[in-house]
Amino acid sequence: MSTHSHGHAEDSHAGHDHHDHEHHDTFWTKYVFSQDHKMISKQFLVTAIIMALLAMFMSLIFRLQLGWPSEKFPFLESILGHWGKDGKLDPNFYLALVTIHGTIMVFFVLTGGLSGTFSNLLIPFQVGARDMASGFLNMLSYWFFFGSCAVMTASLFVQAGPASAGWTIYPPLSALPQAIPGSGLGMTLWLVSMVLFIGSALLGGINYVVTILNLRTKGMSMTRLPLTIWAFLITAILGILSFPVLFAAALLLLFDRSFGTSFYLSDIFINGAPLAHSGGSPILFQHLFWFLGHPEVYIVLLPALGLASEVISTQSRKPIFGYKAMIGSMLVIAFLSFIVWGHHMFITGMNPFLGSVFVFTTLLVAIPSAVKVFNYLATLWRANIVLSPAMLFAIGLVSFFISGGLTGIILGDSALDINIHDTYFVVAHFHIVMGSSAIFGMFAGIYHWFPRMFGRMMNKRAGYIHFWLTIVGVYGTFFPMHFIGLSGAPRRYYAYTAYEGFDAALNINALVSVFAILGGLAQLIFVFNFFYSMYRGKKAAQNPWGSTTLEWTAPVEHLHGNWPGEIPTVYRWPYDYGKPGADEDFIQQTVPYSETPKSNLPGEA
Amino acid sequence: MIKLLTLIVIALAAVTIWRLMRVLELVRDLRNEDEQITDKDNRVNGRLMLWFLVLGMGGMTYFTIDAKKYLLPVAASKHGALTDSYLYINFALIIVVFFITQILLFYFAWKYQHKKGQKAFFYPVDHKLEFIWTIIPAVVLMGLIVYGLKLWINITAPAPKEAMVIEVYGKQFDWTARYSGGDNTLGRSNFKLITDDNQLGVDSLDENGKDDKITRELHLPVGSKVIFKFHSRDVLHSAYFPHLRAQMNCVPGMTTEFFVEPTITTDSMRLITGNPKFDYVLLCNKICGVAHYNMRMKMVIEPADDFKKWYKTQPYVFARPDAAPAVVPADTVKTAQASAQNRKIVASK
Ligand code: HEM
Ligand SMILES: [Cu+2]
Ligand SMILES: [Cu+2]
């Protein structure tokens, strides 16, 4: 396995001196403390898949509770012990499951997993670099991530239970163990895990930005970058600007919890006694949290949109429509994402005028989002669409982006949000626009770049089955949830049996749970396909999808430094698909205009 | 036993999927495929796209019509009627855009599927089109923003002076209401004064508090103007009145408020919903601990006369000052009840 890295030891081109000496990969340096972007990307992906399965399993457990609140499920006791006594889920543990499910999905799967996997895999490959700017920091980024996942998982085994205050961990609930058992050691571990996670995100993000700005190959101007890279760049910048704020929020919370400060606490009487905290404001925490929290939504979404853009253009055999508008809309979305956080706080008693400003900025986001959707539709129009599993998932992403984005228009309007804030309508909205869109983008990425990662193809039939079951499962789960919300049912409720106005929640919830279980089972097909194909998939061709971008010009085997010879030079933009006059329906970025006189457009010489 | 069964089920599921993978692999090898996408794949999945579109749209429409019975009944507050009609405008717009874009998306995926020897239409950019589909959403959204903000300003405008002041007080895990009495001013309160008998920590030295009344149900006269003042003593709660289309967080250390004008009595709403047992409710809508899901209070909207009758029966925060000195601490509760009785008699004279 380690012999391939010697193949190019002779060609000593200036500036890449690390290729001039022999590599001796041991098991530890190759698989564990690897500094190679390709290996690190796989580490991120496999870790994220495992965490995603855990989080999905949790959601199925609480879906059982929500769907059939008066049934008993004896096996719960065997899995959960005293949290599932007599087959009934403990209400405290219900909140813990919801909290950890949300945390894992948002941070570990769709931030760490999505950006970590694909930024690492694609940035060096697509900009034409031997590796990340700093392989060491990159390795550190993964191990911080791993540590953070390990701490979060460990918190599940704490006696009093893991953090239970919701993934948004609003104090005072998250600050006071008297208020909920999960706010004891469980919450401390949550905070430690998050601090590690932020470390990982920052190390990764800085590396991505530096690599994209400095290590582009000859000819790779910013306007010749694939949209994936633009998405990763903007995402990384968002992360660098917003994660430190979450860090500050978490740190202050840690102080309030452990050292008796009063940043977030004031005038509290609990468990029969007044607390000494005075002068703090719980609302301050929300401002800090959502200053990260909203950009976080786009940290989750933009990479998925980037991957989908690439897949859609490639498999449509047609250039992405409005390349510059796509970049522009991402930049506008990213900018706006920093000035809309107040839409999560309309009913915290915020000054109504400030609320108006946030309504305005929030609804503005719909404009660049609409542009993106129309551009995707224009790309598909009169295309020559190859419906690969990746393409199906990319189309699914666009569908969710539309469905979920539209309900955002309602939630962003303060006058309407008064009534639906924190109801199931919100749960439906964000699962569709953030959860499902981003997960579908991730699936599209995995199916599309699996050959690049593992040198083998995934089984397409299993991919098709996976897609169809999943899209049915997702719409079946989250579409009806809107109505539960519109019937006035709040979220984070253990049961809807106590008040008879919750008929909707009771009746619709069973249906929702059936679809959720269907969708959940479908993921097992994916998991098996993934691990099976790693070893038994068909060997992949070098450029299996007929793509134009650089990652497919490198050999299928993984080399240190990616290309055996010189790094290829780039001569054109990445979307010359279906160009009139060309012999094939794609022209790679490495082909100079001088070789394609028949297909050159005016100005391309 | 159950443990074993659980394990067996899990093992069987794993084996099944493993076999499924194997079958798919065999199919692939039998047909001598290399995982490249064939015209047949495109045809099959393209058709499924159309089926999904038709069945999905049909299913959603059917479900929406069927689920209408679950939606909240008409708004029982003045502003709620306005926001509801605005909500329907939004929904109309959203549904139109939803149908158009989803139909195009799935239809294109079927219509323009790959065929050998066919080339896509090379169409990288069209500035006119882009301009159009930037401007149209911008104009529509401006319309929504203006309409929405007008409503918002209207809803959040300062309450008129005569509005009845009611404190809604949240704690783990119940609600208490405090009416401000004849002076329409709540007495000062402080969390440090909370005792078993003074759950809201009302300051007995403040004259304004002397006529405050504490209730475990929320009664509102129909057609009145009400300003709620929200408080919490421990963690965040959120006072959510789904039928009034009103919600506001309760924050320890801070007072928040919301102005409403209830318009429909409980009795009328029972007729409207056809449900003789219907009751308005105040829910907690911010995760606040283990019994979050059970934190609620009954709300009654009734004609002013009924309200007055009910109000008279409610106890004051403090036993009357003149009765107070005689009370031994252990007897407080009894005395409070007794003095409430007295007051009723006095009040009805
Ligand atoms: C198997 C698919 C999934 C199902 C059935 C599911 C279901 C649920 C349900 C029922 C809740 C509880 C809502 C509440 O009571 O407030 C929830 C919460 C949440 N889910 Fe999921 N979910 C799934 C996948 C995802 C994904 C992919 C994401 C990624 C964004 C995600 C993110 C969240 C978040 C952030 C919360 C909020 C947690 C909180 O309230 O603190 N979920 N999910
Ligand atoms: Cu937001
Ligand atoms: Cu509460």
Side-chain angles (χ1 to χ4, degrees), chain B residues 103-117:
Chain B
I103 288 174
L104 289 180
L105 178 68
F106 288 96
Y107 171 74
F108 285 174
W110 168 76
K111 167 84 177 154
Y112 300 111
Q113 60 188 263
H114 189 274
K115 291 187 196 72
K116 278 225 177 61

mmCIF file of all heavy atoms in Angstrom, chain B residues 103-117:
data_model
loop_
_atom_site.group_PDB
_atom_site.id
_atom_site.type_symbol
_atom_site.label_atom_id
_atom_site.label_comp_id
_atom_site.label_asym_id
_atom_site.label_seq_id
_atom_site.Cartn_x
_atom_site.Cartn_y
_atom_site.Cartn_z
ATOM 1 N N ILE B 103 -43.052 21.758 -10.017
ATOM 2 C CA ILE B 103 -43.465 21.118 -11.272
ATOM 3 C C ILE B 103 -42.359 21.253 -12.304
ATOM 4 O O ILE B 103 -41.971 20.286 -12.971
ATOM 5 C CB ILE B 103 -44.795 21.721 -11.773
ATOM 6 C CG1 ILE B 103 -45.940 21.250 -10.881
ATOM 7 C CG2 ILE B 103 -45.062 21.308 -13.225
ATOM 8 C CD1 ILE B 103 -47.279 21.881 -11.195
ATOM 9 N N LEU B 104 -41.792 22.454 -12.436
ATOM 10 C CA LEU B 104 -40.711 22.636 -13.399
ATOM 11 C C LEU B 104 -39.548 21.706 -13.075
ATOM 12 O O LEU B 104 -39.002 21.029 -13.947
ATOM 13 C CB LEU B 104 -40.231 24.088 -13.394
ATOM 14 C CG LEU B 104 -41.183 25.107 -14.003
ATOM 15 C CD1 LEU B 104 -40.583 26.504 -13.946
ATOM 16 C CD2 LEU B 104 -41.513 24.738 -15.446
ATOM 17 N N LEU B 105 -39.195 21.655 -11.800
ATOM 18 C CA LEU B 105 -38.035 20.864 -11.400
ATOM 19 C C LEU B 105 -38.182 19.401 -11.791
ATOM 20 O O LEU B 105 -37.334 18.836 -12.495
ATOM 21 C CB LEU B 105 -37.849 20.993 -9.883
ATOM 22 C CG LEU B 105 -36.706 20.199 -9.271
ATOM 23 C CD1 LEU B 105 -35.375 20.765 -9.730
ATOM 24 C CD2 LEU B 105 -36.787 20.234 -7.747
ATOM 25 N N PHE B 106 -39.281 18.781 -11.366
ATOM 26 C CA PHE B 106 -39.422 17.352 -11.625
ATOM 27 C C PHE B 106 -39.772 17.079 -13.090
ATOM 28 O O PHE B 106 -39.360 16.069 -13.648
ATOM 29 C CB PHE B 106 -40.450 16.736 -10.673
ATOM 30 C CG PHE B 106 -39.943 16.634 -9.260
ATOM 31 C CD1 PHE B 106 -40.227 17.601 -8.317
ATOM 32 C CD2 PHE B 106 -39.139 15.565 -8.883
ATOM 33 C CE1 PHE B 106 -39.737 17.511 -7.019
ATOM 34 C CE2 PHE B 106 -38.640 15.471 -7.591
ATOM 35 C CZ PHE B 106 -38.944 16.438 -6.663
ATOM 36 N N TYR B 107 -40.491 18.017 -13.696
ATOM 37 C CA TYR B 107 -40.820 17.830 -15.115
ATOM 38 C C TYR B 107 -39.547 17.896 -15.959
ATOM 39 O O TYR B 107 -39.319 17.037 -16.818
ATOM 40 C CB TYR B 107 -41.822 18.893 -15.551
ATOM 41 C CG TYR B 107 -42.071 18.924 -17.032
ATOM 42 C CD1 TYR B 107 -42.839 17.922 -17.646
ATOM 43 C CD2 TYR B 107 -41.525 19.924 -17.838
ATOM 44 C CE1 TYR B 107 -43.051 17.934 -19.010
ATOM 45 C CE2 TYR B 107 -41.736 19.940 -19.202
ATOM 46 C CZ TYR B 107 -42.503 18.940 -19.789
ATOM 47 O OH TYR B 107 -42.704 18.952 -21.135
ATOM 48 N N PHE B 108 -38.694 18.863 -15.688
ATOM 49 C CA PHE B 108 -37.428 18.961 -16.438
ATOM 50 C C PHE B 108 -36.601 17.689 -16.270
ATOM 51 O O PHE B 108 -35.991 17.195 -17.216
ATOM 52 C CB PHE B 108 -36.602 20.157 -15.956
ATOM 53 C CG PHE B 108 -37.115 21.496 -16.428
ATOM 54 C CD1 PHE B 108 -36.541 22.680 -15.966
ATOM 55 C CD2 PHE B 108 -38.162 21.579 -17.330
ATOM 56 C CE1 PHE B 108 -37.004 23.919 -16.394
ATOM 57 C CE2 PHE B 108 -38.640 22.811 -17.761
ATOM 58 C CZ PHE B 108 -38.060 23.983 -17.291
ATOM 59 N N ALA B 109 -36.582 17.185 -15.039
ATOM 60 C CA ALA B 109 -35.759 16.001 -14.768
ATOM 61 C C ALA B 109 -36.208 14.817 -15.612
ATOM 62 O O ALA B 109 -35.418 13.966 -16.002
ATOM 63 C CB ALA B 109 -35.821 15.644 -13.286
ATOM 64 N N TRP B 110 -37.494 14.788 -15.899
ATOM 65 C CA TRP B 110 -37.996 13.705 -16.755
ATOM 66 C C TRP B 110 -37.800 14.048 -18.223
ATOM 67 O O TRP B 110 -37.266 13.290 -19.010
ATOM 68 C CB TRP B 110 -39.479 13.478 -16.463
ATOM 69 C CG TRP B 110 -40.154 12.605 -17.478
ATOM 70 C CD1 TRP B 110 -40.055 11.247 -17.583
ATOM 71 C CD2 TRP B 110 -40.999 13.033 -18.544
ATOM 72 N NE1 TRP B 110 -40.786 10.801 -18.637
ATOM 73 C CE2 TRP B 110 -41.385 11.874 -19.260
ATOM 74 C CE3 TRP B 110 -41.481 14.275 -18.972
ATOM 75 C CZ2 TRP B 110 -42.226 11.929 -20.364
ATOM 76 C CZ3 TRP B 110 -42.319 14.320 -20.075
ATOM 77 C CH2 TRP B 110 -42.676 13.155 -20.766
ATOM 78 N N LYS B 111 -38.215 15.270 -18.569
ATOM 79 C CA LYS B 111 -38.273 15.688 -19.971
ATOM 80 C C LYS B 111 -36.888 15.715 -20.630
ATOM 81 O O LYS B 111 -36.729 15.296 -21.766
ATOM 82 C CB LYS B 111 -38.916 17.078 -20.010
ATOM 83 C CG LYS B 111 -38.796 17.808 -21.320
ATOM 84 C CD LYS B 111 -39.878 17.382 -22.289
ATOM 85 C CE LYS B 111 -39.767 18.207 -23.575
ATOM 86 N NZ LYS B 111 -40.307 17.541 -24.731
ATOM 87 N N TYR B 112 -35.905 16.213 -19.908
ATOM 88 C CA TYR B 112 -34.594 16.410 -20.535
ATOM 89 C C TYR B 112 -33.607 15.331 -20.145
ATOM 90 O O TYR B 112 -32.427 15.576 -19.998
ATOM 91 C CB TYR B 112 -34.065 17.805 -20.199
ATOM 92 C CG TYR B 112 -34.973 18.889 -20.688
ATOM 93 C CD1 TYR B 112 -35.692 19.682 -19.803
ATOM 94 C CD2 TYR B 112 -35.143 19.092 -22.063
ATOM 95 C CE1 TYR B 112 -36.549 20.664 -20.266
ATOM 96 C CE2 TYR B 112 -36.004 20.067 -22.528
ATOM 97 C CZ TYR B 112 -36.705 20.849 -21.628
ATOM 98 O OH TYR B 112 -37.559 21.816 -22.091
ATOM 99 N N GLN B 113 -34.109 14.123 -19.943
ATOM 100 C CA GLN B 113 -33.201 13.058 -19.562
ATOM 101 C C GLN B 113 -32.249 12.726 -20.712
ATOM 102 O O GLN B 113 -32.528 12.987 -21.879
ATOM 103 C CB GLN B 113 -33.977 11.832 -19.125
ATOM 104 C CG GLN B 113 -34.871 11.292 -20.217
ATOM 105 C CD GLN B 113 -35.778 10.203 -19.701
ATOM 106 O OE1 GLN B 113 -35.483 9.043 -19.845
ATOM 107 N NE2 GLN B 113 -36.887 10.568 -19.079
ATOM 108 N N HIS B 114 -31.127 12.168 -20.322
ATOM 109 C CA HIS B 114 -30.033 11.929 -21.249
ATOM 110 C C HIS B 114 -30.421 10.943 -22.347
ATOM 111 O O HIS B 114 -31.055 9.919 -22.075
ATOM 112 C CB HIS B 114 -28.853 11.356 -20.471
ATOM 113 C CG HIS B 114 -27.596 11.257 -21.262
ATOM 114 N ND1 HIS B 114 -27.298 10.186 -22.053
ATOM 115 C CD2 HIS B 114 -26.553 12.113 -21.378
ATOM 116 C CE1 HIS B 114 -26.128 10.380 -22.631
ATOM 117 N NE2 HIS B 114 -25.648 11.548 -22.236
ATOM 118 N N LYS B 115 -30.070 11.306 -23.574
ATOM 119 C CA LYS B 115 -30.182 10.337 -24.651
ATOM 120 C C LYS B 115 -28.883 10.344 -25.413
ATOM 121 O O LYS B 115 -28.258 11.399 -25.593
ATOM 122 C CB LYS B 115 -31.351 10.679 -25.581
ATOM 123 C CG LYS B 115 -32.674 10.481 -24.890
ATOM 124 C CD LYS B 115 -33.866 10.646 -25.818
ATOM 125 C CE LYS B 115 -35.135 10.823 -25.001
ATOM 126 N NZ LYS B 115 -35.236 12.133 -24.325
ATOM 127 N N LYS B 116 -28.462 9.180 -25.836
ATOM 128 C CA LYS B 116 -27.196 9.094 -26.563
ATOM 129 C C LYS B 116 -27.250 9.975 -27.800
ATOM 130 O O LYS B 116 -28.251 10.061 -28.481
ATOM 131 C CB LYS B 116 -26.947 7.638 -26.993
ATOM 132 C CG LYS B 116 -26.350 6.801 -25.892
ATOM 133 C CD LYS B 116 -25.178 5.934 -26.384
ATOM 134 C CE LYS B 116 -24.600 5.185 -25.196
ATOM 135 N NZ LYS B 116 -25.619 4.283 -24.574
ATOM 136 N N GLY B 117 -26.151 10.638 -28.070
ATOM 137 C CA GLY B 117 -26.057 11.433 -29.288
ATOM 138 C C GLY B 117 -26.760 12.775 -29.195
ATOM 139 O O GLY B 117 -26.696 13.575 -30.122
#
